[in-house]
Amino acid sequence: MHEWALAEAVITAAQQIAEKEKLREIREVDIKIGELQQVERDIFRFALSQLKPASFKNAKFRISTAKTTLKCRVCEHIWLFSKSKLDEDTAEAIHFVPEVAHAYIKCPKCGSPDFEISEGRGVWLENIKGVR
Amino acid sequence: MSTMDPRTTVINERLKRINRIIAVSSGKGGVGKSLVATTLALELAQRGCKVGLFDLDFTSPSTHLIMGVKDAQPKEDKGIVPPVVKGLAYMSLIQFSGDHAAPLRGTDISNALIELLAVTQWGELDFLVLDMPPGISDAVLDLVRLVKRIEFLIVTTPSRLAFETVKKQVRLLQELKVPIIGVVENMKMNRAKNIEQETEKLGVKFLAGIPYDLKVEEAIGDVAKLGDTAIAQRVRKVAANNIAQ
Ligand SMILES: Nc1ncnc2c1ncn2[C@@H]1O[C@H](COP(=O)(O)OP(=O)(O)O)[C@@H](O)[C@H]1O
Ligand SMILES: [Mg+2]
Ligand SMILES: [Zn+2]
């Protein structure tokens, strides 16, 4: 599952930050997942629990979902991404590489494929708390 | 702490079992990057090396057309595992965007590139060949920033218009201390030596002159025919003498 690769990235990044901030033990990790990428939370959470190193033993992973906002560059219309309008293959392609949304999604107002993914694209780390 | 993108941290982990990463690049479009990249990957594989080919010209991918790839879907297994196409581990955005045009801006290109570098499980390879978009684009700068150990092979034509852009690219790469394997001069119509001499003045190796070959167009989509073109013949020598050694 490709969620594992993303979870590994999150753990590696969190470790790097912990090192930089000289945290001995990590207590909280806040992760945001944009709706566009449709990451399977259960798999992602399981992967995190399997991949975490010793210093993350007591870490609480808080995973929240962020809505995906798209903004048309032609008419400036702003709308929310919704998976329900996509067929399975398209949804899967966007799951792998969110940017291919540009090949399938058009502005609902003017039909342009030239839009911006303003918010809620992929997976990102919001915050880390720990003790020195 | 500001919010951060975790993907860049695993890129070198994903690439660590690849011996050499070669970007085939040029200041210009239409000079033969995709043909040189594809034949280089195929020739290295012919020599018994394990080779990957990654089409990074996201807005105008061509390597699938050159090799006549019909349907080759990556598998999902703790990341994305590239399918094997003509003996190469092969990745192209085409596998996700199909025949649809994907109008990507600079930031989208960077994001797609970082995403694929972070999740693709190439496994063990002797060579990963990258077919680059033209110019000193975001893709070139991102790769140099994110992929340690990247090397460049640069394609020009005899035209001053192509070579002037190549000169700029060479200087930039030299400033960034990125190794340049050398320059190939494609679509030669005569035996002029000026590009060869100018290349050497830049302190860069001139690898080969490739003649303009009418057989190329007919060979597109047919890997066996491609092997008989002047491009493959010259690239084969470069692979043997300057790359695989
Ligand atoms: N040595 C050559 N002889 C004849 N045609 C060539 C040769 N090299 C490239 N071409 C043609 O030039 C065009 C551009 O090649 P391509 O590899 O797509 O360039 P790039 O990737 O730099 O844009 C293609 O139509 C290709 O068939
Ligand atoms: Mg090309
Ligand atoms: Zn619009």
Side-chain angles (χ1 to χ4, degrees):
Chain A
M1 277 302 178
H2 141 258
E3 274 75 4
W4 280 78
L6 298 172
E8 191 187 348
V10 167
I11 294 283
T12 313
Q15 266 180 298
Q16 283 183 8
I17 295 168
E19 239 167 74
K20 224 186 268 167
E21 300 191 357
K22 300 200 170 58
L23 303 177
R24 223 172 359 93
E25 198 194 315
I26 312 306
R27 294 282 168 81
E28 284 173 26
V29 184
D30 289 334
I31 302 163
K32 270 238 160 103
I33 305 181
E35 261 184 357
L36 183 61
Q37 197 159 21
Q38 316 146 59
V39 170
E40 295 261 4
R41 253 175 195 255
D42 293 345
I43 303 173
F44 186 65
R45 191 176 275 289
F46 179 67
L48 287 172
S49 72
Q50 298 293 302
L51 293 167
K52 66 181 183 192
S55 56
F56 284 67
K57 201 173 62 181
N58 299 313
K60 206 170 137 205
F61 289 95
R62 271 199 300 255
I63 305 171
S64 52
T65 310
K67 293 233 173 289
T68 301
T69 314
L70 308 174
K71 181 178 177 198
C72 179
R73 283 199 172 97
V74 177
C75 76
E76 304 201 327
H77 180 61
I78 294 170
W79 75 102
L80 287 178
F81 165 78
S82 155
K83 189 194 165 179
S84 62
K85 293 188 191 119
L86 305 176
D87 65 62
E88 211 175 293
D89 288 349
T90 306
E92 188 178 80
I94 295 173
H95 169 58
F96 285 132
V97 188
E99 280 62 43
V100 290
H102 287 97
Y104 301 103
I105 297 175
K106 310 258 179 294
C107 167
K109 216 168 149 198
C110 78
S112 164
D114 185 15
F115 56 83
E116 171 189 305
I117 305 169
S118 348
E119 249 176 86
R121 181 202 164 275
V123 175
W124 67 100
L125 258 173
E126 278 232 312
N127 207 357
I128 289 187
K129 284 201 187 113
V131 287
R132 293 190 183 209
Chain B
M1 194 188 95
S2 60
T3 60
M4 78 164 276
D5 181 346
R7 298 170 300 167
T8 54
T9 58
V10 286
I11 290 177
N12 286 292
E13 173 70 24
R14 295 278 177 268
L15 302 174
K16 80 174 178 206
R17 292 194 293 150
I18 302 173
N19 192 26
R20 290 179 68 185
I21 302 169
I22 300 173
V24 177
S25 179
S26 176
K28 268 254 185 275
V31 297
K33 292 181 297 298
S34 296
L35 275 156
V36 169
T38 309
T39 49
L40 176 62
L42 292 167
E43 290 299 334
L44 287 166
Q46 274 290 315
R47 297 177 59 84
C49 300
K50 275 196 195 162
V51 185
L53 177 62
F54 192 178
D55 195 323
L56 291 180
D57 195 352
F58 290 157
T59 51
S60 317
S62 330
T63 54
H64 64 294
L65 300 171
I66 294 172
M67 295 197 291
V69 181
K70 296 270 145 48
D71 188 34
Q73 286 304 312
K75 280 201 315 257
E76 201 175 357
D77 182 17
K78 300 202 171 175
I80 299 177
V81 180
V84 176
V85 171
K86 319 284 176 195
L88 310 173
Y90 179 65
M91 283 291 274
S92 166
L93 205 62
I94 267 308
Q95 290 154 336
F96 308 102
S97 63
D99 273 342
H100 304 262
L104 304 179
R105 303 268 188 147
T107 48
D108 300 320
I109 290 172
S110 292
N111 260 322
L113 174 64
I114 292 169
E115 193 75 32
L116 283 172
L117 288 171
V119 301
T120 304
Q121 302 281 8
W122 291 100
E124 199 164 309
L125 293 177
D126 297 306
F127 296 97
L128 177 61
V129 178
L130 310 175
D131 182 22
M132 300 294 292
I136 306 170
S137 56
D138 290 26
V140 170
L141 297 170
D142 282 331
L143 281 170
V144 167
R145 177 169 66 90
L146 298 169
V147 180
K148 297 177 191 129
R149 305 190 290 123
I150 195 163
E151 308 166 61
F152 278 72
L153 189 153
I154 296 178
V155 184
T156 184
T157 68
S159 164
R160 286 236 70 80
L161 292 181
F163 192 71
E164 285 302 318
T165 65
V166 160
K167 260 194 198 162
K168 285 213 180 87
Q169 193 178 20
V170 165
R171 288 207 195 98
L172 175 78
L173 293 172
Q174 286 171 335
E175 277 167 24
L176 293 166
K177 302 197 168 45
V178 178
I180 301 171
I181 298 169
V183 169
V184 301
E185 182 187 5
N186 188 26
M187 301 199 236
K188 276 182 80 82
M189 311 286 259
N190 57 37
R191 290 168 176 277
K193 291 251 179 204
N194 57 315
I195 297 290
E196 180 170 350
Q197 288 156 357
E198 296 245 4
T199 298
E200 279 159 5
K201 265 192 232 157
L202 294 171
V204 175
K205 193 166 197 143
F206 183 83
L207 298 170
I210 304 174
Y212 190 89
D213 180 356
L214 288 169
K215 288 205 300 286
V216 168
E217 193 55 39
E218 216 191 304
I220 286 171
D222 185 335
V223 164
K225 280 190 189 164
L226 204 59
D228 288 333
T229 61
I231 301 182
Q233 284 157 14
R234 299 306 194 286
V235 168
R236 194 170 300 145
K237 280 192 194 148
V238 172
N241 300 334
N242 305 94
I243 296 177
Q245 272 121 1

